[in-house]
Amino acid sequence: RKFAKILDEMLDNTMLDILDGERVSKASKTVAKKLEKIYNANIPLNNGFGRRIDLIIATKDIELSTSEWKRKKSPAAKCLQQQAKNIRVNKAILRYFLDLPISEADKNKLMTVGMDWAGNMGYMFAVKPLDDVFVARTLYTLTIPTCIDELPFFIDTLDHLYSWRNHHVHIKDIVLKALCKREKEKFFSSVLGSSTTTAIDIDTSPNVYLTPTRSRRRT
């Protein structure tokens, strides 16, 4: 929560909300439900429950990105597991964006930018569509000072966090504009009997795979 306080100050008056404390990502829940429907629940995904996330950035209940934390000195294998989960959930959010009625010019600007942390050290990454695949790449390394000597290095981290903030403000504007357009299309379609909206097949693959959950045995 200490880090979230820094973000609270940065995101003040931006219409961006911080949802922290192991919340279930709506995007991952949608993916889990679709996967269970496609595979007839042959893979255990905890009844479409979705994945718990440490910190979600949202606007008007629309998820824009996710970030995760591990304790300091967590094993590298655990950090990589967290990385894979975080990238997949950010990709799921991006898939939702791409299904909105967004102009090609704005679609080219779309990407989700999240963070992974282990203690006071972390990094920022982006997930972006490239032709028919999605690519994740590291943007910046981040550090939170634990002593006075480290304060000068915190300036770079603050610069990167403000870039992260500005990106989310920009994506928020694109997504909210697209949602307004979709609501208008739905209304006129329902009253006029014709539709210009793009139909989304709910039975198609979400193009994201979630790790199956392990069943807990009682002893």
Side-chain angles (χ1 to χ4, degrees):
R1 186 56 199 171
K2 290 181 179 178
F3 183 79
K5 288 181 178 178
I6 297 174
L7 299 184
D8 283 337
E9 294 295 326
M10 287 186 165
L11 302 183
D12 191 30
N13 295 322
T14 61
M15 287 179 62
L16 296 173
D17 302 316
I18 298 173
L19 312 178
D20 59 338
E22 287 285 316
R23 299 209 182 198
V24 175
S25 163
K26 290 168 59 180
S28 71
K29 189 172 183 178
T30 299
V31 168
K33 286 183 176 179
K34 285 186 176 181
L35 288 176
E36 287 191 333
K37 188 172 183 179
I38 292 169
Y39 295 105
N40 298 317
N42 289 327
I43 55 174
L45 287 170
N46 204 12
N47 296 321
F49 185 73
R51 294 294 176 265
R52 293 189 180 276
I53 298 293
D54 293 323
L55 188 144
I56 300 170
I57 298 300
T59 181
K60 294 189 175 181
D61 206 32
I62 304 298
E63 295 175 348
L64 301 179
S65 74
T66 64
S67 296
E68 289 276 74
W69 270 257
K70 284 289 184 189
R71 292 184 179 181
K72 189 176 182 180
K73 296 183 179 179
S74 292
K78 288 290 183 183
C79 292
L80 290 174
Q81 186 180 33
Q82 170 182 273
Q83 179 191 80
K85 168 191 169 186
N86 203 5
I87 288 174
R88 287 198 295 264
V89 177
N90 274 282
K91 179 191 172 186
I93 293 172
L94 183 55
R95 282 293 315 166
Y96 170 74
F97 294 165
L98 294 172
D99 286 334
L100 294 174
I102 296 175
S103 68
E104 287 303 317
D106 282 339
K107 276 188 178 181
N108 291 332
K109 303 172 187 175
L110 283 181
M111 61 180 174
T112 47
V113 179
M115 294 182 284
D116 269 318
W117 290 84
N120 68 311
M121 293 182 289
Y123 57 89
M124 194 177 296
F125 67 91
V127 180
K128 185 174 177 63
L130 180 63
D131 296 329
D132 58 346
V133 298
F134 289 80
V135 177
R137 61 165 296 183
T138 305
L139 298 178
Y140 310 111
T141 56
L142 311 164
T143 56
I144 300 297
T146 56
C147 61
I148 294 179
D149 291 338
E150 294 177 342
L151 280 176
F153 301 105
F154 188 48
I155 295 175
D156 287 340
T157 293
L158 286 176
D159 283 342
H160 300 328
L161 289 175
Y162 271 105
S163 296
W164 172 86
R165 167 196 179 276
N166 294 339
H167 167 76
H168 280 81
V169 170
H170 184 54
I171 295 300
K172 172 208 72 178
D173 292 340
I174 293 175
V175 170
L176 292 183
K177 178 182 175 182
L179 287 171
C180 287
K181 181 179 179 181
R182 189 174 69 175
E183 285 303 310
K184 290 178 182 177
E185 289 178 346
K186 283 183 177 180
F187 170 75
F188 288 117
S189 173
S190 65
V191 225
L192 301 177
S194 61
S195 175
T196 56
T197 58
T198 303
I200 300 172
D201 187 352
I202 61 172
D203 293 328
T204 58
S205 169
N207 197 232
V208 180
Y209 185 77
L210 298 179
T211 305
T213 54
R214 295 181 180 179
S215 59
R216 296 181 180 179
R217 297 180 179 178
R218 295 182 179 181
T219 56

